[in-house]
């Protein structure tokens, strides 16, 4: 794990074990850093939700809680931009294949909302071709401050 | 009266008012316990008018949404009524993005919600 701040940019690189709750090692510090960098509470909520969903997906659906696999997370936080890259060691998935959770027939399904929430709350999210790594970005614009 | 770890339960007239103990509802074990406690209100205690108040809640994950959806279905299946209130704007946005605001009966303050039963 490395954790450093230079020129107002905080960076973290860490490998998480594939066990429930290990995401707290990232989210607790990430939330602190967003506050330190002056991000407003609504944006902190948005980033928290998106990163929580993405890391839990990587641990549970990607690595399937396999103790021999890690989830690699890289974070970068500055005053106007946050970037979080999350990669698991699973086979990946096709994000386009996730059914629309807002379709009438899916509206009351008990799961399947994480990816939509990530897309809605972040400025951009991009999966790699294999579908086992995602980069989440949020830019703090004037309209959001 | 069974004891609960994840919710506080009280009654206002005929309405069962449920408040969450945790400000952040995100860890898997806690969400499983939360679901079991919510469902037991309907299945074990035969509560039929339930108001879920979010006034203590700062954050919830999509896994917690699943428990609320299941609770809503269980209440509807016994012709009961479930309403929700005191939801902070960011969480309300989660409900709007996922269109769960069309599924749930969402109200403003607690008094307004109780009078709507």
């Amino acid at each position: 794990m490395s954790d450093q701040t230079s020129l107002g940019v905080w960076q973290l690189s860490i490998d998480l074990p594939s066990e429930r709750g290990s995401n707290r090692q990232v989210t607790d510090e990430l939330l602190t850093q967003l506050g330190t960098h002056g991000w407003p509470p609504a944006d902190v909520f948005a980033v928290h939700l998106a990163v929580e969903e993405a890391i839990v997906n990587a641990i549970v659906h990607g690595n399937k809680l396999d103790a021999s696999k890690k989830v690699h997370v890289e974070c970068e936080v500055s005053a106007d931009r946050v970037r979080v890259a999350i990669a698991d060691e699973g086979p990946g998935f096709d994000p386009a294949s996730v059914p629309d959770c807002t379709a009438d027939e899916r509206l009351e399904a008990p799961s399947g909302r994480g990816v939509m929430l990530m897309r809605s709350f972040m400025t951009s999210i991009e999966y790699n071709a294999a579908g086992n790594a995602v980069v989440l970005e949020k830019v703090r614009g004037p309209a959001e401050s | 009266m069974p004891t609960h770890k994840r919710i506080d339960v009280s009654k206002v007239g005929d309405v069962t008012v449920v408040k969450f103990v945790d400000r952040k509802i995100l860890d898997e074990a806690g969400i499983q316990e939360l679901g079991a406690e919510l469902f037991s209100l309907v299945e074990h205690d035969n509560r039929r008018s339930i108001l879920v108040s979010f006034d203590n809640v700062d954050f919830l994950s999509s896994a917690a949404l699943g428990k609320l959806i299941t609770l809503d279905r269980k209440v509807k299946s016994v012709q009961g009524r479930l309403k929700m209130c005191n939801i902070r704007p960011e969480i309300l946005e989660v409900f709007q993005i996922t269109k769960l605001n069309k599924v749930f009966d969402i109200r403003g303050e607690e008094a307004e919600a109780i009078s709507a039963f």
Side-chain angles (χ1 to χ4, degrees):
Chain A
M1 169 172 162
S2 66
D3 176 349
Q4 57 183 342
T5 302
S6 63
L7 298 172
V9 179
W10 170 77
Q11 293 176 312
L12 171 73
S13 177
I14 186 170
D15 284 323
L16 300 176
S18 295
E19 57 192 45
R20 294 185 192 279
S22 69
N23 48 308
R24 291 287 299 274
Q25 295 177 47
V26 171
T27 48
D28 286 354
E29 183 60 18
L30 177 62
L31 298 185
T32 300
Q33 290 295 332
L34 288 167
T36 303
H37 285 81
W39 285 71
D43 284 346
V44 174
F45 177 95
V47 173
H48 185 189
L49 186 70
V51 171
E52 178 84 20
E53 299 289 341
I55 299 180
V56 170
N57 278 353
I59 292 171
V60 176
H61 301 301
N63 287 351
K64 301 198 182 308
L65 296 164
D66 181 342
S68 71
K69 295 178 176 175
K70 303 285 187 197
V71 173
H72 183 67
V73 183
E74 291 183 8
C75 303
E76 214 174 273
V77 175
S78 65
D80 56 5
R81 181 174 162 276
V82 54
R83 178 183 184 277
V84 182
I86 297 149
D88 62 59
E89 297 177 28
F93 78 112
D94 175 8
S97 71
V98 177
D100 179 4
C101 66
T102 64
D104 283 347
E105 69 276 11
R106 296 281 311 166
L107 212 46
E108 296 190 42
S111 61
R113 294 178 178 77
V115 174
M116 166 169 270
L117 288 168
M118 283 186 254
R119 287 196 194 286
S120 299
F121 278 111
M122 300 302 281
T123 307
S124 72
I125 82 165
E126 277 187 38
Y127 283 89
N128 65 350
N132 67 348
V134 63
V135 177
L136 309 173
E137 272 195 295
K138 192 165 186 70
V139 176
R140 187 172 159 194
E144 293 179 289
S145 60
Chain B
M1 173 74 78
T3 54
H4 298 107
K5 284 171 64 183
R6 300 293 172 179
I7 52 176
D8 286 326
V9 180
S10 60
K11 284 208 86 173
V12 178
D14 292 333
V15 179
T16 298
V17 179
V18 179
K19 296 187 179 183
F20 298 98
V21 170
D22 300 305
R23 300 196 77 84
K24 294 186 177 187
I25 304 171
L26 44 76
D27 83 277
E28 175 68 19
I31 288 171
Q32 291 304 331
E33 281 184 348
L34 172 67
E37 292 179 10
L38 289 172
F39 305 158
S40 80
L41 293 174
V42 184
E43 296 172 334
H44 184 265
D45 302 343
N46 297 314
R47 312 280 184 138
R48 295 294 179 261
S49 298
I50 299 175
L51 174 62
V52 175
S53 171
F54 285 77
D55 58 353
N56 292 327
V57 180
D58 293 331
F59 184 90
L60 86 173
S61 70
S62 68
L65 295 179
K67 299 301 180 190
L68 295 173
I69 291 164
T70 303
L71 175 68
D72 188 61
R73 291 170 121 176
K74 287 181 185 293
V75 171
K76 285 173 178 166
S77 73
V78 294
Q79 285 75 52
R81 287 176 296 174
L82 173 70
K83 299 181 193 298
M84 300 179 189
C85 70
N86 286 338
I87 302 173
R88 61 178 286 178
E90 291 87 353
I91 294 176
L92 200 54
E93 194 178 349
V94 170
F95 288 152
Q96 288 162 345
I97 289 166
T98 54
K99 296 194 178 171
L100 288 172
N101 57 328
K102 293 182 174 180
V103 176
F104 299 145
D105 185 352
I106 294 173
R107 305 283 171 159
E109 301 291 317
E110 185 174 318
E112 178 210 331
I114 287 173
S115 67
F117 274 92

